[in-house]
Amino acid sequence: MKITAVKTVLLTGPCTNDPYLSEARKRRSAAFVEILTDTEITGLGETYAGYFIPEIVPEIVRFFEPILVGQNPEEIDLLWRRMYHCGNFWCRTGVGLQVLSAIEAALWDIRGKCERLPVYRLLSEVRRESLPCYATGGPANYPLEKLYRKLEYYRSLGFTAAKIGAGQFEEGRTRTSRIPEKAAEIEYEKVTAIRRRFGGEFTLMLDGHMGNWPDFDTVWTLPVARAVMTALAGSGLLFFEEPLHYNDREGYRALRAESPVPIAGGEALAGEAEWEPYYDGCFEIGQPDAAYVGGLSQFLRIACSLDRRGSRIATHSWAAGGGFMQNVHAGFAAPNTEILEIAPDYGPLHSEIIGESFRMERGRVLPPETYGLGITLSEKVREKYPFLPGSGEFNSVPGKILRD
């Protein structure tokens, strides 16, 4: 079997069917990579870069295509190393590596179809009957009655765990504070109210989003994060995600050492080189994303490095249907997966690509059974959701404002 062509497909569609997430984001862009062969078998993968900067993905794919055409698609590691080496100056981390995530996933998709196995079974010998999952809820929609309805909605969808954002999302904006006592008060009152309403029925997580905070002048400092964690001691949170910016690595190390709440992070770290400084002492729960870190193999190497240091992982997953399934497979292959992040009531750029490949019962995800990654991209979907330039998400700053 030989690769005959490598193509990029950009799409824009509804972000989600979740009415609460839709308050923050109405649409999403997505970037898929297709690998064609001289047989009827094709491979499909997605890069999370397509959610942010889709326009750049086709150019990077075209750069790598000559390395792939004419080669055996089942030589995944060899082809990955050639592409990585060719892009050494700009592909060790960052967007080049993120695009390799989609190419590598498409190669694994081909191999799974050839061997008539789901990809996770090709990646490792780890076998589980199911994995717990949580509804990734985006912002903390306020007032509190709305936040209650949001969690009740996720419960009605079959979830027993959910993650919501720090601060208070109201009238299109999240409000928080850089004053330690005030930030701690907001989060303590929120979690206390949720516990009073739901008791221990829900496994709960909070997300500071400080690695991707819309207002750069409100990113928490270590004293703010420390005050919040102290206030949340005994709250039963599974973890608190991204309480600090990723540039504050020493802050993460200091916070984890003293925090009564498990500290999680890593969604914005691409590849082993970028993860390496964070392995020791930064995260109790690492959050690699198989559609972002450079591929499923990179994901597993990162997961295993965290495992050797006693840290667990919780997959990050906010790409469309391709990246979604890439992370499901990676989560089932990793030895230390604590929980899977799941987009609740996902929209058509999930559902029409996943089909029946994703299965969840009583708050737990069942291992995929479809050969390959279990994703398809029909002509109908391509025609129905044409790409809209400028539809990627970014943080608004003067001179460049996100208009959804």
Side-chain angles (χ1 to χ4, degrees):
M1 181 189 296
K2 301 295 183 184
I3 296 171
T4 57
V6 185
K7 299 181 178 180
T8 307
V9 180
L10 303 183
L11 303 174
T12 302
C15 187
T16 175
N17 290 330
D18 180 342
Y20 299 97
L21 277 169
S22 293
E23 289 187 8
R25 182 75 168 140
K26 298 282 189 299
R27 66 185 179 192
R28 67 162 59 234
S29 55
F32 296 88
V33 172
E34 288 183 303
I35 296 181
L36 283 61
T37 71
D38 56 2
T39 74
E40 73 284 356
I41 295 176
T42 63
L44 182 66
E46 183 185 0
T47 169
Y48 188 39
Y51 182 73
F52 299 102
I53 187 165
E55 289 87 351
I56 204 168
V57 176
E59 295 302 322
I60 296 175
V61 172
R62 276 192 284 270
F63 177 88
F64 287 127
E65 183 179 18
I67 300 172
L68 299 168
V69 171
Q71 302 302 311
N72 179 354
E74 295 192 71
E75 294 183 334
I76 299 171
D77 182 63
L78 173 63
L79 295 175
W80 190 94
R81 286 188 288 111
R82 286 176 178 174
M83 290 184 287
Y84 184 76
H85 181 70
C86 186
N88 177 63
F89 264 80
W90 53 275
C91 200
R92 290 178 61 255
T93 64
V95 70
L97 197 57
Q98 295 157 31
V99 173
L100 281 189
S101 300
I103 297 173
E104 193 241 32
L107 293 171
W108 278 112
D109 191 36
I110 290 173
R111 184 171 171 185
K113 291 171 181 174
C114 288
E115 299 194 25
R116 300 174 68 82
L117 287 171
V119 165
Y120 82 93
R121 293 192 57 186
L122 301 173
L123 292 169
S124 80
E125 295 182 356
V126 174
R127 299 290 181 266
R128 297 183 180 89
E129 293 184 0
S130 65
L131 279 171
C133 66
Y134 71 87
T136 184
N141 305 69
Y142 263 60
L144 274 172
E145 281 299 326
K146 180 179 284 188
L147 186 56
Y148 296 154
R149 292 196 298 272
K150 177 176 188 165
L151 294 175
E152 288 165 356
Y153 178 64
Y154 295 155
R155 181 172 59 183
S156 75
L157 297 175
F159 288 95
T160 59
K163 183 182 75 183
I164 54 174
Q168 303 166 332
F169 183 79
E170 202 166 9
E171 298 178 352
R173 180 169 181 174
T174 296
R175 296 174 179 83
T176 185
S177 176
R178 290 193 80 190
I179 300 171
E181 296 77 13
K182 181 61 176 176
E185 179 185 357
I186 291 171
E187 303 311 324
Y188 174 80
E189 291 182 351
K190 179 196 304 174
V191 173
T192 301
I194 292 171
R195 289 300 188 209
R196 187 163 52 241
R197 181 66 171 255
F198 295 93
E201 181 181 349
F202 247 60
T203 298
L204 188 64
M205 292 139 275
L206 289 184
D207 189 349
H209 291 118
M210 293 301 157
N212 190 36
W213 192 251
D215 300 316
F216 64 87
D217 58 348
T218 56
V219 172
W220 288 353
T221 60
L222 178 58
V224 179
R226 180 183 287 128
V228 171
M229 300 310 137
T230 300
L232 295 176
S235 62
L237 290 181
L238 182 62
F239 60 74
F240 196 111
E241 178 178 338
E242 290 188 334
L244 296 169
H245 196 284
Y246 287 111
N247 290 346
D248 191 5
R249 187 174 65 249
E250 292 308 312
Y252 267 108
R253 189 168 284 114
L255 182 64
R256 183 195 169 185
E258 63 187 48
S259 174
V261 178
I263 301 301
E267 69 179 62
L269 304 177
E272 288 184 287
E274 196 167 10
W275 270 88
E276 174 65 33
Y278 292 85
Y279 283 145
D280 292 313
C282 289
F283 308 132
E284 188 164 335
I285 297 179
Q287 296 174 294
D289 186 327
Y292 186 87
V293 295
L296 293 109
S297 297
Q298 283 278 299
F299 180 106
L300 280 182
R301 283 193 280 271
I302 291 164
C304 289
S305 292
L306 289 165
D307 188 44
R308 287 193 293 272
R309 293 161 173 84
S311 294
R312 298 160 286 161
I313 65 163
T315 56
H316 173 265
S317 185
W318 190 237
F324 179 94
M325 289 305 297
Q326 287 157 223
N327 279 291
V328 169
H329 283 272
F332 271 96
N336 53 336
T337 303
E338 174 78 12
I339 197 166
L340 300 175
E341 180 173 31
I342 300 298
D345 200 5
Y346 42 64
L349 290 187
H350 281 82
S351 60
E352 296 190 31
I353 289 160
I354 297 168
E356 302 298 320
S357 297
F358 175 68
R359 302 176 300 148
M360 187 182 90
E361 293 181 0
R362 296 184 294 277
R364 299 183 70 88
V365 177
L366 303 181
E369 294 181 344
T370 311
Y371 301 152
L373 290 171
I375 55 177
T376 59
L377 197 54
S378 68
E379 289 301 323
K380 180 181 178 181
V381 169
R382 300 169 202 245
E383 294 171 3
K384 192 174 180 181
Y385 304 106
F387 177 62
L388 180 63
S391 56
E393 181 178 297
F394 53 85
N395 290 329
S396 295
V397 295
K400 192 169 180 66
I401 306 299
L402 179 64
R403 306 190 188 282
D404 198 353

